[in-house]
Amino acid sequence: MNFASDNCGPAHPQVIEALARANTGFARSYGTDDLTAQAGARLRELFEAPQADIHLVSTGTAANALALATLAQPWQAIYCTPLAHIHRDECHAPEFYSGGAKLTPVGTGDKMTAADLARAIAASPPGDVGVSQPGPVSLTQVTEMGRLYTLTELSALTETAAAHGLPVHLDGARFANALTVLGCTPADMTWKAGIDAVSFGGTKNGCLGVEAVIFFNPEKSWEFELRRKRAGHLLSKHRYLAAQMLAYLADDLWLTSARIANARAARLADGLRALPDCHFLADPQANMIFATLPRATHQRLHAAGAHYGLNGGPLETGDPDTPLPMRLVCDWSIAEESIDRFLDIARG
C-alpha cells in the first residue's frame, strides 16, 4: 500500500532490460553515441517537430532549471503558480542556474488563468529599471494538485505570453498521464498550443532516471548545451539515458504505464468517494489524489503499513475526528489488491 509518490516505485522491467542491452562494448561519450541520436529522432517524430532539438538529463530539476535558465535573463521574472514544483520543491535551482531570475507566483493555486498572467505581467512593466522585467512563463501539466490544463486553457495562456513576447515552458514531469486523459497528441499539448519548450518526464512513469528537454525553436539549443555541461548535467556515459528513453517510447510503453497509473488512481478515488468522511481537495484527473480523512482513519492506515503523504497536524495525538489532508499517488506498478486493501482499512 505505497502511495507516497510515483518517484518511489520501481523502474519498468523493459527499461532495465534496455539498459542491460546498452551495457555491452564501447560507445561514444557525452551524447555523441548512436542511441542518443536515435532517441532524439524518435522524440522529434513523436512530437511531429523535425526541427526540434532534444537534450537528455537525469533529473526533473535539471530539466526545468536549465530550460528556464536558457529562456530567461537574470533580471527577468519567471511566471509560475504558487504551488509550482519549480517554486516550492527545487531549492531555488531555477534562480541559481539563471543567475538570479525571480520566480514570480501567478494566481492562487495550482493553475493560472490568462487573466491572472496578464495582471502579473502588467504589475512589472518593461522599461522600469527598478523592477523585474517580464520573462518566461512556466506551466505544469499534470499540475501539482493532480489537475489538468485543457488545450483551450493552454492556448489562452500562451497567447497572452506571446502578446508580450514571452516564451512558455511546460513542466511535463507527468506528461504522459496528462496526455492519456486529454486524448490528444504530444504536438497538440505543446507546440501547437504555443509551448516553446517542454520538460518531458520519464522518471515518474517507469524510467530509472531520464527526462528530455525539448526546444521547438532550435535557436536556443547551443546555449542549453553549454549550460548543461557547465552545470555538470552532461553524462559521460550518455547512452544509458538514451537507452531508457528509447525503451520508454518503444511500443507505447510510456502511454501504457500512464494509463495504468491513472486507472489505479481512478479506482482508489472511486472507493474514497464512497466514504462519508472523505472530502476531496481537488478533482482527481490523473494519478494523484488530494483529500482528507479523519485522524483515526489515518492512524488505522498507518498502523497497517500504508505509505502516503500526510499534512495538517500530528498523526499520533489530537481529536480522532479531525480531518487531515493527504496526498495519494499511483504509479504503473500499484496493484489493485493494494488499493482494495487500503479502502477496506479506511472503511474500518
Side-chain angles (χ1 to χ4, degrees):
M1 296 185 293
N2 197 314
F3 304 97
S5 174
D6 40 13
N7 289 311
C8 298
H12 198 282
Q14 290 175 225
V15 172
I16 299 300
E17 291 165 9
L19 283 167
R21 289 193 300 271
N23 193 39
T24 303
F26 293 81
R28 297 181 67 182
S29 58
Y30 295 106
T32 62
D33 58 281
D34 291 340
L35 290 180
T36 297
Q38 292 172 32
R42 180 70 185 96
L43 283 164
R44 280 187 283 272
E45 177 187 25
L46 188 70
F47 280 84
E48 304 170 53
Q51 79 290 350
D53 273 317
I54 315 293
H55 310 277
L56 302 181
V57 293
S58 59
T59 73
T61 296
N64 289 336
L66 291 173
L68 288 167
T70 304
L71 295 174
Q73 295 293 334
W75 49 84
Q76 289 182 324
I78 297 173
Y79 298 105
C80 62
T81 69
L83 297 183
H85 197 274
I86 60 171
H87 184 56
R88 297 185 59 171
D89 298 286
E90 294 186 357
C91 196
H92 296 245
E95 295 98 325
F96 175 76
Y97 283 117
S98 66
K102 184 178 177 63
L103 292 180
T104 303
V106 178
T108 59
D110 59 319
K111 291 176 68 174
M112 69 173 77
T113 67
D116 292 334
L117 179 58
R119 283 192 292 270
I121 295 170
S124 297
D128 183 345
V129 74
V131 301
S132 297
Q133 300 301 293
V137 179
S138 184
L139 308 172
T140 309
Q141 181 83 314
V142 177
T143 76
E144 289 75 12
M145 289 295 291
R147 301 194 299 164
L148 302 179
Y149 287 100
T150 66
L151 297 184
T152 299
E153 289 172 328
L154 286 176
S155 294
L157 285 160
T158 61
E159 287 168 8
T160 300
H164 296 274
L166 308 180
V168 182
H169 162 259
L170 187 71
D171 177 353
R174 297 181 175 90
F175 189 98
N177 301 92
L179 195 77
T180 55
V181 174
L182 293 179
C184 62
T185 69
D188 290 335
M189 204 168 76
T190 54
W191 64 267
K192 288 185 178 180
I195 302 295
D196 297 283
V198 59
S199 300
F200 177 73
T203 306
K204 287 178 166 61
N205 195 35
C207 290
L208 190 67
V210 64
E211 319 284 315
V213 179
I214 304 172
F215 287 97
F216 297 106
N217 184 342
E219 70 178 15
K220 290 289 187 178
S221 181
W222 178 236
E223 179 180 342
F224 182 92
E225 290 195 39
L226 294 171
R227 288 183 178 277
R228 179 177 59 171
K229 177 62 175 175
R230 185 172 183 263
H233 282 286
L234 177 60
L235 271 64
S236 60
K237 295 186 178 182
H238 203 273
R239 59 175 153 162
Y240 297 107
L241 293 181
Q244 293 179 70
M245 184 57 68
L246 285 168
Y248 183 54
L249 300 177
D251 300 320
D252 286 341
L253 176 63
W254 65 297
L255 296 176
T256 300
S257 296
R259 289 189 183 104
I260 292 171
N262 290 350
R264 297 292 188 268
R267 183 187 184 97
L268 180 56
D270 286 344
L272 290 171
R273 285 191 187 93
L275 301 178
D277 48 11
C278 180
H279 302 282
F280 287 85
L281 302 175
D283 179 31
Q285 295 179 298
N287 69 320
M288 291 191 289
I289 298 169
F290 293 81
T292 66
L293 285 171
R295 177 180 277 111
T297 305
H298 288 299
Q299 289 172 342
R300 287 199 307 274
L301 287 164
H302 278 254
H307 297 274
Y308 56 92
L310 182 64
N311 299 300
L315 173 66
E316 295 81 8
T317 59
D319 185 345
D321 295 326
T322 297
L324 299 180
M326 62 182 176
R327 185 186 87 149
L328 306 166
V329 187
C330 292
D331 81 331
W332 68 272
S333 70
I334 294 291
E336 291 182 345
E337 291 78 9
S338 294
I339 293 169
D340 295 342
R341 183 174 176 231
F342 183 96
L343 293 171
D344 285 342
I345 295 166
R347 293 184 193 102

